Amino acid sequence: MKRVSVTIKEIAKALDVSKSTVSRALRDSSEISSETRRKVMELAEKLNYYPNPIAISLLKNRTQTIGVIVPDIANRFYSSAIGGVEDIAYSRGYHTMIYQSHELLERELSASRHIASRRVDGLVVAISSQSENIDHFVALQEQGIPVVFFDRVSDAMQTHKVRVDDYKGAFEATEHLIQRGCRRIAHIAGPEKVSITRFRLEGYKDALRKHGIAFQEEWVRHSEITQAGGTERTYQLMALRERPDAIFGASDRITMGVHWALRQLGYKMPDDVAVIGFCDLAMSSLLDPPVSSVTQPSFEMGQQATSLLLDLIESKSTPAEYETRVLRSNLVINKSSLREIVGS
């Protein structure tokens, strides 16, 4: 059944006023009397009138829509961040279009092309693990579509960025393990090209250095950000002649793989191997034993990235300089790392 749309012309005819009067009344213009505005609004509601979004976008040169690209919506970190994006977008009159890259450059390129063709007003993005080259985002910016990075960022493009203090989170996690008596601390890191991997690896190394523990290459294993990757790298680490007495996972899925592998191999946590990771608190508390976690303010990260993006969209000029906001992480200690300290 074909839907019949009510037009401004029909409302104007019914009220015996001009189309421009109806248009101004619907926009709550001060040029229209309160009585006329009331009549127009009442009739528009009665007739189920909806403004034509295409006409409005042409008039304003905006679609009131922003795009969001994340690696994986099923990841609780990104689903929470999207919640923050939508919270701010809705409060400021914008809708969101959500895309997943699934850590694939090809999917990210496809999403970027779609965003450009749909005349989306701006983009919030966490870069995929394959995206060493970000020319597609530079191209969007050059077309007048502002881009803001969050979580995974790139120094190759001048724009606003919002991330967590990955270095400090990794440093504190590693130092906690050292303070619990661990000396052979392995780190299962994410893909080498990703910004957060570099920050977290440096934090891990510097904590070892501070406490006089030699860094060993064989105790660092890079992995895809999956549970299977964490499991496989844990098997490799526990097969070493000098096995680690602690493992620090770079993400919640990697850490879940660590946890599962150690249980399968018969190791007790934390007595045989202490475990800590960048984790979602709700997920980590469901494991047995519960996992010590570096938690991140993902919802706030989405909020701040979106606020910065909408400011760019609504500004009539390019900012003098772009801003990088670094949010605090939080170390939450659970049973998986609370090994008994010898001599305490």
Side-chain angles (χ1 to χ4, degrees):
M1 184 175 178
K2 186 176 180 182
R3 177 184 169 190
V4 179
S5 299
V6 177
T7 66
I8 286 178
K9 182 178 180 180
E10 290 169 306
I11 295 174
K13 184 177 180 181
L15 295 174
D16 194 25
V17 296
S18 68
K19 289 190 294 181
S20 61
T21 296
V22 173
S23 178
R24 285 195 291 268
L26 291 170
R27 296 200 308 271
D28 200 24
S29 171
S30 59
E31 300 174 25
I32 305 301
S33 70
S34 58
E35 178 63 18
T36 300
R37 187 160 53 246
R38 181 186 63 77
K39 289 180 180 179
V40 169
M41 298 303 291
E42 285 181 356
L43 184 58
E45 184 176 357
K46 181 180 178 181
L47 298 177
N48 293 318
Y49 167 78
Y50 295 99
N52 184 328
I54 297 175
I56 292 174
S57 68
L58 289 172
L59 182 65
K60 292 185 174 181
N61 198 27
R62 283 191 205 146
T63 60
Q64 299 299 121
T65 302
I66 62 171
V68 186
I69 303 178
V70 296
D72 184 3
I73 292 174
N75 184 316
R76 286 180 65 94
F77 172 85
Y78 290 116
S79 61
S80 175
I82 289 169
V85 170
E86 292 190 319
D87 178 63
I88 297 299
Y90 180 80
S91 72
R92 292 177 60 169
Y94 288 78
H95 297 282
T96 56
M97 294 174 62
I98 300 168
Y99 304 80
Q100 299 181 82
S101 68
H102 294 290
E103 302 287 7
L104 299 172
L105 175 59
E106 181 183 349
R107 293 286 293 267
E108 195 172 84
L109 289 169
S110 175
S112 298
R113 287 192 293 267
H114 192 259
I115 284 166
S117 68
R118 289 301 178 98
R119 300 181 66 250
V120 170
D121 295 331
L123 173 65
V124 174
V125 59
I127 303 170
S128 82
S129 59
Q130 290 187 353
S131 300
E132 189 172 8
N133 185 313
I134 59 162
D135 287 350
H136 45 299
F137 295 130
V138 175
L140 286 177
Q141 194 175 56
E142 290 175 347
Q143 293 171 46
I145 300 174
V147 178
V148 171
F149 293 129
F150 79 99
D151 183 43
R152 303 178 186 180
V153 303
S154 172
D155 293 330
M157 180 172 164
Q158 293 298 308
T159 188
H160 293 314
K161 298 157 193 172
V162 182
R163 62 178 182 84
V164 77
D165 194 341
D166 294 288
Y167 172 89
K168 187 171 183 288
F171 185 98
E172 290 178 346
T174 307
E175 187 168 59
H176 163 71
L177 294 172
I178 295 168
Q179 290 168 345
R180 302 306 300 186
C182 302
R183 291 297 179 269
R184 302 185 306 278
I185 303 169
H187 176 40
I188 302 181
E192 294 183 61
K193 296 176 182 178
V194 178
S195 61
I196 59 176
T197 298
R198 298 191 299 273
F199 293 133
R200 294 174 187 180
L201 182 57
E202 285 304 308
Y204 159 79
K205 287 180 178 180
D206 283 354
L208 295 179
R209 187 177 299 114
K210 175 185 174 182
H211 292 273
I213 300 174
F215 169 73
Q216 297 193 40
E217 290 282 356
E218 66 176 0
W219 284 348
V220 174
R221 302 293 167 111
H222 288 276
S223 166
E224 292 301 314
I225 304 175
T226 62
Q227 182 173 338
T231 299
E232 181 182 354
R233 298 299 182 265
T234 302
Y235 285 149
Q236 293 171 359
L237 287 167
M238 301 312 292
L240 294 174
R241 178 174 297 180
E242 190 176 16
R243 293 193 296 266
D245 59 8
I247 300 177
F248 165 39
S251 79
D252 50 4
R253 293 188 176 184
I254 287 174
T255 307
M256 286 179 67
V258 173
H259 194 283
W260 189 87
L262 290 175
R263 286 177 62 93
Q264 291 297 306
L265 292 169
Y267 290 101
K268 293 182 179 180
M269 295 171 273
D271 297 338
D272 299 325
V273 184
V275 174
I276 197 166
F278 273 78
C279 288
D280 173 78
L281 191 58
M283 180 280 295
S284 61
S285 65
L286 295 175
L287 300 175
D288 183 23
V291 175
S292 294
S293 310
V294 181
T295 64
Q296 305 169 83
S298 50
F299 188 86
E300 182 184 355
M301 197 179 295
Q303 286 181 313
Q304 293 206 24
T306 306
S307 293
L308 289 168
L309 177 67
L310 297 184
D311 288 346
L312 286 176
I313 291 169
E314 295 170 0
S315 173
K316 295 181 179 179
S317 59
T318 303
E321 60 181 38
Y322 289 103
E323 182 179 351
T324 295
R325 295 184 181 177
V326 181
L327 309 184
R328 291 174 59 89
S329 59
N330 185 38
L331 182 61
V332 179
I333 304 305
N334 273 314
K335 292 181 180 179
S336 70
S337 66
L338 281 176
R339 64 188 307 176
E340 184 177 348
I341 301 175
V342 178
S344 63

